[in-house]
Amino acid sequence: MSEQRSKADHDRWQGFSTKAVHAGFDPDPQTGVVNVPIYASSTFAQDGVGGLRGGFEYARTGNPTRSALEASLAAIESGTYGRAFSSGMAATDCMLRAALRPGDHLVIPNDAYGGTFRLIDKVFTQWGIEYSVAPIADPAAVREAMRPSTKLIWVETPTNPLLNVGDIAAIAELAHAGGAKLVVDNTFASPYLQQPLTLGADVVLHSTTKYLGGHSDVVGGALVTNDEELDVAFAFLQNGAGAVPGPFDAYLTMRGIKTLALRMERHSDNAEAVAEFLSGHSAVSHVIYPGLAEHPGHAVAAKQMRRFGGMVSVRLAGGIEAARDLCSRTEVFTLAESLGGVESLIEHPAAMTHASTEGSELEVPADLVRLSVGIEDAADLVGDLEQALA
């Protein structure tokens, strides 16, 4: 169902916002409802043995609300197949199990998300999977990290939390030359700012909890691809392992997608203002934001992204104590994990989201603070940081 609907949507509409608002669901012919209903049913009546009405039998296998979300996800990522999961980590787990077998090898960023690293390092290595780390901003280093057994290159761009930028087209080319697949975690950029499948990636992954849902009220994940064989594997694991979103979760995520373009423009506007303010502050030793001309990945980001997003990281001149102090003093920025919601958040990655990387090659600097810049008034955000740094 999701494949047919997304293909039709691609044919009908070219604009991103039109797809975001309409893809996945047409007004119901009987009632005229313009918004996708929440089909709160675990089971579906059949027209005779094996006669599935609308293709649905049991909600773990498929649900109309989830199918609508999956079609929307495929459309906004310019993909053919979309699969929704109960969390971003559930999508990550499915991706790894679909692509890798004992003895296989993958390459991950040297500053990957802590949860991704933890799953690979603590779980998949027990099953005979090996991994290497590489700075994804350097395609030559990624190539050097590959082996004959490399089956997957895992890229975040921008990365979490150091906001490094990988050249998706260049890495896709070297991955395919080595017989590997490229998966891009597009969570930080969102489909509005960046479309990895159009740049050569094989799979796009999202924590839909973040910018796609956008309101800090739902947890979810997604995989989108044009590769039918991979999608068959995703569908089998999605059903067989059962890490699927409920219909209300799917509804909330789809509702968030409708305003994604508007929100990402505001997130980007505000992040630019915050980055500019912090760049001139004496308490800050380094501002990390791809939109700044001095960012080493600025040119690549400008090439493959529509804008530079809502995430800003900073290193404090006063070290770890200054970083912790900043996190405790903000009033508009809320001290919390996660990101991508309408409200601004602040966190200390070394002690929070990336604590699992301590002592590893991926350990993050102790003086680093990560900001998820929301859609509030920019003057209030800047003012809040100004008083917190005073």
Side-chain angles (χ1 to χ4, degrees):
M1 178 177 179
S2 62
E3 174 195 352
Q4 295 174 349
R5 184 71 59 83
S6 62
K7 282 182 176 178
D9 291 342
H10 292 174
D11 292 339
R12 281 191 286 174
W13 306 309
Q14 297 298 316
F16 181 90
S17 291
T18 307
K19 291 178 184 179
V21 171
H22 294 286
F25 183 75
D26 291 324
D28 183 81
Q30 286 189 314
T31 64
V33 297
V34 298
N35 208 9
V36 64
I38 302 170
Y39 288 94
S41 182
S42 64
T43 193
F44 301 84
Q46 299 186 23
D47 296 325
V49 177
L52 304 184
R53 191 180 305 176
F56 299 100
E57 54 181 327
Y58 185 62
R60 171 168 47 78
T61 308
N63 174 282
T65 312
R66 189 176 95 214
S67 292
L69 169 61
E70 290 175 333
S72 176
L73 291 166
I76 61 174
E77 274 290 7
S78 297
T80 304
Y81 310 98
R83 299 288 169 185
F85 296 86
S86 55
S87 69
M89 288 311 303
T92 298
D93 181 62
C94 179
M95 177 70 241
L96 293 169
R97 283 189 288 157
L100 300 173
R101 296 294 178 267
D104 287 346
H105 172 263
L106 77 155
V107 179
I108 63 173
N110 65 351
D111 60 337
Y113 167 55
T116 303
F117 169 72
R118 182 178 57 229
L119 181 64
I120 294 169
D121 184 62
K122 304 302 183 187
V123 178
F124 277 85
T125 56
Q126 297 183 51
W127 299 342
I129 304 298
E130 298 182 321
Y131 72 92
S132 299
V133 302
I136 58 95
D138 183 358
V142 175
R143 184 185 296 108
E144 182 68 21
M146 294 177 68
R147 304 175 185 173
S149 58
T150 301
K151 296 296 188 292
L152 194 66
I153 296 179
W154 192 282
V155 166
E156 299 170 14
T157 182
T159 58
N160 179 8
L162 293 176
L163 299 172
N164 286 307
V165 175
D167 188 326
I168 295 171
I171 297 174
E173 185 175 348
L174 66 89
H176 298 154
K181 301 285 189 184
L182 173 63
V183 57
V184 176
D185 184 337
N186 203 29
T187 299
F188 266 30
S190 87
Y192 177 69
L193 298 183
Q194 180 173 271
Q195 304 215 326
L197 294 180
T198 67
L199 297 170
D202 297 286
V203 183
V204 176
L205 180 141
H206 282 281
S207 170
T208 59
T209 309
K210 312 306 193 295
Y211 286 111
L212 292 175
H215 294 79
S216 302
D217 57 6
V218 62
V219 174
L223 294 171
V224 181
T225 186
N226 289 317
D227 187 321
E228 184 177 8
E229 184 177 353
L230 273 176
D231 182 66
V232 169
F234 296 160
F236 177 83
L237 289 167
Q238 182 191 48
N239 180 50
V244 297
F248 187 59
D249 294 336
Y251 166 82
L252 286 174
T253 304
M254 198 166 177
R255 184 178 68 168
I257 287 171
K258 293 177 187 294
T259 60
L260 180 62
L262 297 173
R263 289 185 287 107
M264 292 312 298
E265 287 289 346
R266 183 60 174 256
H267 284 299
S268 297
D269 285 343
N270 285 353
E272 289 173 7
V274 164
E276 182 179 357
F277 164 73
L278 292 171
S279 294
H281 202 286
S282 59
V284 175
S285 62
H286 185 42
V287 178
I288 309 170
Y289 183 63
L292 295 174
E294 59 267 28
H295 188 287
H298 176 73
V300 174
K303 177 180 68 174
Q304 66 189 23
M305 298 177 71
R306 190 191 303 253
R307 296 191 65 186
F308 301 103
M311 301 301 299
V312 179
S313 289
V314 294
R315 299 186 67 172
L316 277 296
I320 184 173
E321 293 305 322
R324 288 177 174 268
D325 188 52
L326 173 60
C327 289
S328 70
R329 290 175 57 84
T330 55
E331 297 172 355
V332 181
F333 283 85
T334 300
L335 177 62
E337 296 191 3
S338 198
L339 58 103
V342 292
E343 63 287 306
S344 292
L345 304 178
I346 188 170
E347 67 122 359
H348 185 233
M352 297 170 69
T353 54
H354 290 70
S356 63
T357 67
E358 184 178 0
S360 76
E361 295 177 82
L362 284 77
E363 183 172 350
V364 298
D367 60 359
L368 186 78
V369 170
R370 189 188 73 182
L371 304 174
S372 175
V373 182
I375 66 169
E376 302 94 339
D377 289 299
D380 289 329
L381 297 175
V382 169
D384 187 38
L385 291 170
E386 186 173 25
Q387 66 81 24
L389 288 166

